[in-house]
Amino acid sequence: MLLLTFDYGPGVVMQLKNQKILIVGGGTSGWMAASLLAKKWPNCQIKLIESQNIGTVGVGEGSTPYIKQFFNALEIEESDWMPFCNATYKNGIEFINWSTQPGYNRYFHAFLSDLDEQHTPLFEQATLNRRQGQAVKAHPDGYFFLQTLAQQHRQPTLEVQSNNNAAPHNIYAYHFDSGKLAEYLKQYCLNLGVEHQFVDIETVELAGNGEIAAVIAKDKCRFEADLYLDCTGFSSLLIEKTLKERFISFDENLYNDRAVTVASKAQMHYQPQTTSTALTNGWAWQIPLTSRTGNGYVYSSKYISDEQATQELIEFVGRDNLIGEPRVIPMKVGRVERAWVKNCVAIGLSQGFIEPLEATGLHFIQTSIESFILLYELGEGSAEYRQVYNREIEHVFERVRDYIVSHYLTNSRNDTEYWRVCRDKINISDTLDGLMRQWCSGKDFKAALKKAELDHIYPSASWHMLLAGMGFLPPIDGAHRLSDSEKRTLAQIAEVHQQHINVYGKT
Ligand SMILES: Cc1cc2nc3c(=O)[nH]c(=O)nc-3n(C[C@H](O)[C@H](O)[C@H](O)COP(=O)(O)OP(=O)(O)OC[C@H]3O[C@@H](n4cnc5c(N)ncnc54)[C@H](O)[C@@H]3O)c2cc1C
């Protein structure tokens, strides 16, 4: 998933001299923003202020592959940050029990390897054949290298640096303790000269032109800057509460508004993947860290109470495995209409949030701050460039929303009203409607993704994995079993995977 292309090379580094940037909020978004800004604009005066009384959300344990570029930009090595943050590698996400179609009760959404380049067209062709009436199963499992790695408990990186030129290049992501990541980045920022102060902001002062003039703390301490980053989380203190930017709720098609989380014991030989299991009124994540396993149940408060959800999660994880107390987190799902207004840019939860099904929170933070830097360098904050930024953020939020909504739309569970409503009563965007019609008509789906500019957000392979993996395919006699030709193809792919797999270490 990509936003604007961000140039991490030497390129033009704008020497913003004496510009004052004030970041309000010290969660993951505040420190990620501070790190990139301090690295990219060394001549700016950057200050981060945060409350000691208002906690951070502190979840966000899974990433997308794109975060690797963030660490590269900061020149931070995996060998340094990963042990500090109890991090593990992530090959992809396994979805379990979202579908009741025979043969489709689980599928793996894999990140891509260059080894998949030759196999993805075979898989996509199988889905096309099925959509056109042939009795093939067209399930994604077996086609993608990182799924094979995860299945065999292997990491996506080489165990030893090998001279084997044939070692495939893998795109992978991470799991980590996000509280520790914020701590790590804080130290990184302080080393680069970012100032930090604990204060509770009480009021925000506006200038005559409607820009933010200052933020004022409870102790009357006053902070003035040229640019303000609102990283205050769901409270959205600057962009919503002060500048009155409209919040667009996604509650017409994303019903989950709460999560309960609890940690359990670390597993010795874990599968390097996130697991997403559908429960009665939502879904549960399981994320392996080196220190613990992160678990959470994302649900709709309209269909299940906090107490019931907590109980269901505890039973799912196993009471004997727990090592912490459950914590309920309300979620505000949606986005502000414009994330950059006058001299204020909202980053992180203050800007918007799509439920964590594909772990996009930190991805949005990274791409938002990158795009902001890029466009500020091009347009110095002019109204025209602010508009470009806001349009781009809107596009990405709305199209990621389509991808997330598709999981609910294509579920085939009938055990509770929640799952039926998620499938049958949901409102979908015109873009998604067009896409689903194309899929069901048996026509060229790849072309439709391209036309809707969706393939640069989630690649075509991801869309095919999702829709075919859910068994969202025409019912055809015998198609729940692999056809002979699929068996042959999968056997050949398994052989190719096997030729490469031994250089990847086990957990
Ligand atoms: C249940 C759940 C699961 C998630 N899972 C994932 C995931 O797997 N992957 C992923 O990428 N993302 C995930 N996210 C999103 C991720 O957690 C957030 O994007 C990330 O933590 C950034 O949060 P934040 O910094 O914007 O806000 P917060 O963490 O809420 O930080 C807000 C900061 O603002 C400060 N503040 C607020 N008001 C004031 C004030 N008046 N004065 C001074 N300071 C103030 C607070 O002290 C705090 O420092 C998840 C989110 C939730 C809710």
Side-chain angles (χ1 to χ4, degrees):
M1 194 177 70
L2 292 174
L3 234 183
L4 295 172
T5 311
F6 186 67
D7 176 16
Y8 278 124
V12 187
V13 176
M14 204 167 103
Q15 297 303 309
L16 284 176
K17 287 217 173 71
N18 302 325
Q19 280 267 21
K20 281 189 181 172
I21 302 178
L22 184 72
I23 300 172
V24 186
T28 323
S29 68
W31 288 113
M32 281 180 76
S35 314
L36 272 182
L37 286 170
K39 183 77 181 168
K40 192 78 177 166
W41 291 344
N43 294 325
C44 284
Q45 294 176 44
I46 301 170
K47 183 164 193 147
L48 186 148
I49 55 177
E50 61 175 317
S51 165
Q52 246 173 336
N53 304 310
I54 305 167
T56 60
V57 162
V59 263
E61 296 166 323
S63 80
T64 67
Y66 197 53
I67 203 165
K68 199 166 192 322
Q69 289 199 39
F70 171 78
F71 291 113
N72 288 347
L74 301 182
E75 295 175 90
I76 295 173
E77 300 288 337
E78 282 182 357
S79 56
D80 194 40
W81 77 267
M82 284 186 73
F84 186 90
C85 300
N86 303 325
T88 62
Y89 291 108
K90 173 176 172 185
N91 287 302
I93 308 175
E94 184 167 30
F95 290 86
I96 301 175
N97 292 343
W98 285 72
S99 172
T100 56
Q101 310 282 0
Y104 297 87
N105 72 317
R106 57 209 299 158
Y107 78 93
F108 198 87
H109 177 193
F111 300 128
L112 298 176
S113 161
D114 59 17
L115 211 54
D116 301 328
E117 275 171 31
Q118 45 181 316
H119 302 144
T120 304
L122 301 175
F123 163 58
E124 292 184 352
Q125 184 61 43
T127 67
L128 182 64
N129 293 346
R130 170 72 180 264
R131 291 190 290 117
Q132 291 179 345
Q134 289 184 33
V136 292
K137 187 168 177 189
H139 192 287
D141 286 6
Y143 285 92
F144 296 93
F145 187 51
L146 268 66
Q147 189 233 339
T148 306
L149 287 177
Q151 217 172 30
Q152 297 194 13
H153 297 241
R154 289 184 193 265
Q155 320 276 16
T157 52
L158 297 181
E159 187 174 33
V160 277
Q161 278 314 315
S162 120
N163 292 327
N164 176 5
N165 289 335
H169 170 69
N170 299 326
I171 293 175
Y172 58 84
Y174 309 96
H175 305 116
F176 42 79
D177 178 330
S178 61
K180 288 209 172 254
L181 179 63
E183 211 180 308
Y184 182 96
L185 294 176
K186 176 178 178 181
Q187 198 49 54
Y188 177 91
C189 288
L190 297 181
N191 292 342
L192 287 188
V194 173
E195 290 174 51
H196 173 244
Q197 201 172 329
F198 283 115
V199 281
D200 283 320
I201 297 304
E202 206 168 51
T203 48
V204 181
E205 205 176 278
L206 291 182
N209 62 1
E211 292 197 340
I212 293 177
V215 296
I216 323 263
K218 242 182 196 162
D219 61 5
K220 305 297 169 217
C221 195
R222 187 184 162 86
F223 300 88
E224 286 182 12
D226 302 299
L227 273 168
Y228 295 82
L229 262 55
D230 184 348
C231 298
T232 59
F234 286 132
S235 70
S236 220
L237 184 64
L238 307 190
I239 198 93
E240 258 193 87
K241 293 215 173 95
T242 307
L243 295 174
K244 309 289 178 210
E245 191 58 21
R246 186 168 78 96
F247 180 77
I248 301 169
S249 169
F250 290 173
D251 61 4
E252 63 175 355
N253 52 24
L254 289 174
Y255 298 140
N256 297 336
D257 57 356
R258 297 177 86 75
V260 53
T261 64
V262 72
S264 60
K265 291 172 199 156
Q267 293 166 23
M268 282 285 282
H269 301 295
Y270 59 88
Q271 286 187 295
Q273 64 178 49
T274 298
T275 307
S276 159
T277 307
L279 299 182
T280 60
N281 290 281
W283 61 276
W285 77 74
Q286 292 193 286
I287 287 182
L289 302 185
T290 55
S291 54
R292 61 175 160 83
T293 305
N295 308 281
Y297 183 7
V298 180
Y299 56 94
S300 163
S301 61
K302 194 171 158 203
Y303 295 92
I304 189 170
S305 68
D306 292 343
E307 293 72 28
Q308 288 167 322
T310 304
Q311 201 49 42
E312 194 177 343
L313 179 66
I314 289 173
E315 276 164 28
F316 174 70
V317 175
R319 196 174 290 277
D320 293 345
N321 293 324
L322 302 188
I323 53 172
E325 290 300 314
R327 178 165 73 112
V328 171
I329 305 170
M331 304 189 306
K332 190 169 127 194
V333 177
R335 65 175 174 90
V336 286
E337 193 164 0
R338 295 172 305 167
W340 185 356
V341 178
K342 298 188 184 288
N343 59 346
C344 172
V345 187
I347 308 273
L349 298 173
S350 60
Q351 168 195 34
F353 178 57
I354 295 184
E355 64 142 277
L357 189 55
E358 292 275 350
T360 49
L362 303 192
H363 186 111
F364 279 131
I365 294 169
Q366 181 190 347
T367 49
S368 298
I369 190 73
E370 287 173 356
S371 301
F372 164 70
I373 290 173
L374 183 75
L375 290 171
Y376 199 90
E377 290 189 353
L378 289 172
E380 292 186 30
S382 69
E384 187 192 342
Y385 281 84
R386 289 202 302 266
Q387 206 182 20
V388 173
Y389 178 86
N390 288 327
R391 266 207 309 264
E392 185 68 23
I393 297 287
E394 176 185 334
H395 174 71
V396 174
F397 256 91
E398 292 301 328
R399 300 296 71 91
V400 170
R401 176 188 186 181
D402 284 339
Y403 190 74
I404 302 297
V405 165
S406 303
H407 293 73
Y408 294 96
L409 186 68
T410 57
N411 97 80
S412 48
R413 291 178 65 116
N414 279 309
D415 54 326
T416 59
E417 193 192 348
Y418 168 86
W419 286 108
R420 286 191 293 273
V421 169
C422 280
R423 178 181 59 241
D424 300 335
K425 303 258 170 73
I426 207 163
N427 282 325
I428 61 172
S429 69
D430 291 345
T431 308
L432 185 55
D433 186 54
L435 217 54
M436 288 298 160
R437 284 175 194 281
Q438 187 84 354
W439 176 265
C440 295
S441 70
K443 291 190 191 141
D444 186 349
F445 188 64
K446 250 183 122 146
L449 285 172
K450 208 173 176 60
K451 193 166 163 221
E453 294 181 40
L454 288 166
D455 58 340
H456 78 284
I457 295 181
Y458 280 102
S460 163
S462 292
W463 277 96
H464 282 82
M465 281 185 246
L466 161 59
L467 299 179
M470 286 280 194
F472 189 64
L473 295 160
I476 291 166
D477 276 351
H480 59 284
R481 287 190 298 271
L482 291 171
S483 66
D484 289 345
S485 74
E486 282 177 300
K487 279 186 196 152
R488 275 195 302 278
T489 304
L490 287 171
Q492 280 162 10
I493 294 173
E495 214 171 288
V496 175
H497 287 179
Q498 217 43 51
Q499 282 163 13
H500 292 92
I501 211 150
N502 287 331
V503 285
Y504 295 93
K506 288 200 168 188
T507 60

